[in-house]
Amino acid sequence: MKPKLQIFTNFADKLLPHETMYLLSVQNLDDQAKLTILEKVHENCERVKGFLPYDTEIDKRKYSNLKNWISKRLKEIDVDEQFEWMGEIERKINLDMIEEAQEKQLLKAIRTYQHPTYNFVKFYQLAKLYRHFLLIRLRYSDHVIVDDFINQYEKEYVRSLMVNDQLHQATRDIMLQYSENTTESIQWERWLTSVFYDEQLDGYNRYMALVRLTFISFNYGKPDLLLGQFEMLDKEFKKGKNYSKRLLLNYYDNRVALHSKMKEYDKAVYYGYLSIREKNHDYLTYINNLNGVLIKMERYEEALENMKSAGAAFKSTKNYHAKIGYVAYYINCLLKTGLVKNAKSYAENYLLAYEKEILQYRWYRFFSAYLETLLASTNYRLISQVIHKYKLIEREEKFQSRPDFRPIMFLLDKIALYQEGDILKEELLNHIQQSMEKYSDNKSGQNALKNWLQQDSLLGKSFF
């Protein structure tokens, strides 16, 4: 027998706190029962566990009506819905199939346009296409409306295109630093910040600037660069500005990284669970980021449960960056929960099948997890063989200028040599001390390295 209010509960469970905050701010419900339900929905949205049941004594038709009202109000402000609508209108114009009702809707949107919007560039291009459609049919009065719009916002359109082109240039430097550490990207910080805060610019470019600022802040270990921007974005989402569920989930995921870097792990976990409330194209990436924080907090069983729920997404995705991140965390959790043989077997099978992809995408994360399983399995000789076969120390050295750099491959090699009796304890300690000295001005990095070394699966706290 289906539980009461199951349809509404399933619907409400996927709503997000910023959505319900917006709904409460614009509601004009004259039915107290519906308002009570909406307030309960918001209360549940702010929780990540321990949801409160809905009152089954209230007429279920009110739940159904409220569900429709919520869907309608969110759809009205959803920038992704607007993009889909523009794409459909564009298709209809190109095929000479646009309907009268659609034309009325488009002309009204052009007449009442208020700059800026999130999808301004797409909307402007649609207007230019529609202008051709009108002129060839000698529809002069409608053509004047559209032509005036195009002329009025031409400078803004050209500027948005120029900003977008420059964003692409910035992205190349930022991602090269992130993936290969072969360039600098801090030179883009000031410009990207100005783009984000420019409220006369379209929302798409502003959000893309923030995403790139996020990478820069992590490249240089400066999460505080994002505090003002995130606070502003938070307020905009509460007002329903530049909103879509996709963007909101991405915002929550970015906050996971931000709070994790600031060692605010409880906040990071909170936003992590919000980011996976609904499955989308980036679900596996988001669940990886949540699990990374849970692993830092040594909540391994919880992370394993999350991975099981993401199994289908792992199998279906073509994103090897996310896929290998998932594998590395899975190996790590198996190891930390005592399933050492399982961890080793899983890692070796995956390496055999996807060696090329591992080396191309997330070699550091994968090999860190795999080599620790070998250490726990006392396969010391194999550790050195793997490190030298794949030139992991040489790969690692390329990232030594990064603020979060830890010479894991170098030290794992020395630990393996020590365990095999090839070097003395004093020599190993000397290597560790030299590695620690690189963090003389970075106590956080020094402590992170020491905590890693003190894991029972490495040397054990009794070693020091």
Side-chain angles (χ1 to χ4, degrees), residues 10 20 178 196 227 262 284 315 357 453:
N10 291 342
T20 50
Y178 177 77
F196 174 77
L227 295 177
M262 298 179 74
L284 189 63
K315 292 177 182 177
E357 289 78 6
L453 286 164

PDB file of all heavy atoms in Angstrom, residues 10 20 178 196 227 262 284 315 357 453:
ATOM      1  N   ASN A  10       7.781  12.957  -2.271  1.00  0.00           N
ATOM      2  CA  ASN A  10       8.872  12.740  -3.230  1.00  0.00           C
ATOM      3  C   ASN A  10       9.212  14.031  -3.968  1.00  0.00           C
ATOM      4  O   ASN A  10      10.377  14.328  -4.233  1.00  0.00           O
ATOM      5  CB  ASN A  10       8.483  11.660  -4.236  1.00  0.00           C
ATOM      6  CG  ASN A  10       8.407  10.279  -3.612  1.00  0.00           C
ATOM      7  OD1 ASN A  10       8.953  10.051  -2.525  1.00  0.00           O
ATOM      8  ND2 ASN A  10       7.725   9.364  -4.274  1.00  0.00           N
ATOM      9  N   THR A  20      12.775  27.352  -1.793  1.00  0.00           N
ATOM     10  CA  THR A  20      11.658  27.569  -0.875  1.00  0.00           C
ATOM     11  C   THR A  20      11.738  28.938  -0.193  1.00  0.00           C
ATOM     12  O   THR A  20      10.704  29.524   0.138  1.00  0.00           O
ATOM     13  CB  THR A  20      11.597  26.449   0.180  1.00  0.00           C
ATOM     14  OG1 THR A  20      12.892  26.264   0.788  1.00  0.00           O
ATOM     15  CG2 THR A  20      11.164  25.138  -0.455  1.00  0.00           C
ATOM     16  N   TYR A 178      45.677  24.155 -13.288  1.00  0.00           N
ATOM     17  CA  TYR A 178      44.987  23.164 -12.453  1.00  0.00           C
ATOM     18  C   TYR A 178      45.423  21.740 -12.794  1.00  0.00           C
ATOM     19  O   TYR A 178      45.684  20.931 -11.904  1.00  0.00           O
ATOM     20  CB  TYR A 178      43.477  23.308 -12.641  1.00  0.00           C
ATOM     21  CG  TYR A 178      42.667  22.281 -11.875  1.00  0.00           C
ATOM     22  CD1 TYR A 178      42.464  22.404 -10.510  1.00  0.00           C
ATOM     23  CD2 TYR A 178      42.104  21.180 -12.531  1.00  0.00           C
ATOM     24  CE1 TYR A 178      41.721  21.461  -9.811  1.00  0.00           C
ATOM     25  CE2 TYR A 178      41.368  20.235 -11.849  1.00  0.00           C
ATOM     26  CZ  TYR A 178      41.173  20.387 -10.485  1.00  0.00           C
ATOM     27  OH  TYR A 178      40.441  19.443  -9.794  1.00  0.00           O
ATOM     28  N   PHE A 196      32.264  39.478 -12.544  1.00  0.00           N
ATOM     29  CA  PHE A 196      31.207  38.935 -11.672  1.00  0.00           C
ATOM     30  C   PHE A 196      30.375  40.044 -11.039  1.00  0.00           C
ATOM     31  O   PHE A 196      29.151  39.937 -10.942  1.00  0.00           O
ATOM     32  CB  PHE A 196      31.802  38.051 -10.584  1.00  0.00           C
ATOM     33  CG  PHE A 196      30.760  37.592  -9.593  1.00  0.00           C
ATOM     34  CD1 PHE A 196      29.880  36.574  -9.916  1.00  0.00           C
ATOM     35  CD2 PHE A 196      30.633  38.217  -8.361  1.00  0.00           C
ATOM     36  CE1 PHE A 196      28.888  36.179  -9.029  1.00  0.00           C
ATOM     37  CE2 PHE A 196      29.651  37.822  -7.459  1.00  0.00           C
ATOM     38  CZ  PHE A 196      28.784  36.802  -7.793  1.00  0.00           C
ATOM     39  N   LEU A 227      34.612  34.713  -0.770  1.00  0.00           N
ATOM     40  CA  LEU A 227      33.607  34.952   0.262  1.00  0.00           C
ATOM     41  C   LEU A 227      32.586  36.007  -0.147  1.00  0.00           C
ATOM     42  O   LEU A 227      31.373  35.809   0.007  1.00  0.00           O
ATOM     43  CB  LEU A 227      34.292  35.334   1.581  1.00  0.00           C
ATOM     44  CG  LEU A 227      35.159  34.239   2.217  1.00  0.00           C
ATOM     45  CD1 LEU A 227      35.839  34.769   3.466  1.00  0.00           C
ATOM     46  CD2 LEU A 227      34.309  33.016   2.551  1.00  0.00           C
ATOM     47  N   MET A 262      38.540  25.763   3.785  1.00  0.00           N
ATOM     48  CA  MET A 262      38.607  26.564   5.005  1.00  0.00           C
ATOM     49  C   MET A 262      38.501  25.696   6.266  1.00  0.00           C
ATOM     50  O   MET A 262      38.405  26.205   7.370  1.00  0.00           O
ATOM     51  CB  MET A 262      37.489  27.615   4.988  1.00  0.00           C
ATOM     52  CG  MET A 262      37.616  28.600   3.836  1.00  0.00           C
ATOM     53  SD  MET A 262      36.289  29.825   3.778  1.00  0.00           S
ATOM     54  CE  MET A 262      36.777  30.887   5.159  1.00  0.00           C
ATOM     55  N   LEU A 284      27.859  12.700 -10.286  1.00  0.00           N
ATOM     56  CA  LEU A 284      29.006  11.923  -9.812  1.00  0.00           C
ATOM     57  C   LEU A 284      30.113  12.843  -9.294  1.00  0.00           C
ATOM     58  O   LEU A 284      30.745  12.549  -8.272  1.00  0.00           O
ATOM     59  CB  LEU A 284      29.548  11.027 -10.929  1.00  0.00           C
ATOM     60  CG  LEU A 284      30.610  10.009 -10.492  1.00  0.00           C
ATOM     61  CD1 LEU A 284      30.022   9.014  -9.493  1.00  0.00           C
ATOM     62  CD2 LEU A 284      31.173   9.253 -11.692  1.00  0.00           C
ATOM     63  N   LYS A 315      28.832   4.040 -13.717  1.00  0.00           N
ATOM     64  CA  LYS A 315      28.907   3.155 -14.885  1.00  0.00           C
ATOM     65  C   LYS A 315      28.560   3.874 -16.185  1.00  0.00           C
ATOM     66  O   LYS A 315      29.133   3.569 -17.239  1.00  0.00           O
ATOM     67  CB  LYS A 315      27.965   1.968 -14.689  1.00  0.00           C
ATOM     68  CG  LYS A 315      28.412   1.012 -13.584  1.00  0.00           C
ATOM     69  CD  LYS A 315      27.401  -0.113 -13.386  1.00  0.00           C
ATOM     70  CE  LYS A 315      27.831  -1.044 -12.250  1.00  0.00           C
ATOM     71  NZ  LYS A 315      26.830  -2.094 -12.005  1.00  0.00           N
ATOM     72  N   GLU A 357      43.719   6.268 -19.208  1.00  0.00           N
ATOM     73  CA  GLU A 357      42.831   7.293 -18.669  1.00  0.00           C
ATOM     74  C   GLU A 357      43.308   7.785 -17.305  1.00  0.00           C
ATOM     75  O   GLU A 357      43.238   8.985 -17.009  1.00  0.00           O
ATOM     76  CB  GLU A 357      41.402   6.755 -18.562  1.00  0.00           C
ATOM     77  CG  GLU A 357      40.696   6.547 -19.883  1.00  0.00           C
ATOM     78  CD  GLU A 357      41.124   5.270 -20.618  1.00  0.00           C
ATOM     79  OE1 GLU A 357      41.899   4.480 -20.039  1.00  0.00           O
ATOM     80  OE2 GLU A 357      40.684   5.065 -21.758  1.00  0.00           O
ATOM     81  N   LEU A 453      51.316  11.138   7.329  1.00  0.00           N
ATOM     82  CA  LEU A 453      52.372  10.191   7.699  1.00  0.00           C
ATOM     83  C   LEU A 453      52.007   9.364   8.926  1.00  0.00           C
ATOM     84  O   LEU A 453      52.472   8.233   9.100  1.00  0.00           O
ATOM     85  CB  LEU A 453      53.680  10.943   7.956  1.00  0.00           C
ATOM     86  CG  LEU A 453      54.398  11.465   6.709  1.00  0.00           C
ATOM     87  CD1 LEU A 453      55.437  12.505   7.101  1.00  0.00           C
ATOM     88  CD2 LEU A 453      55.054  10.312   5.951  1.00  0.00           C
TER      89      LEU A 453
END
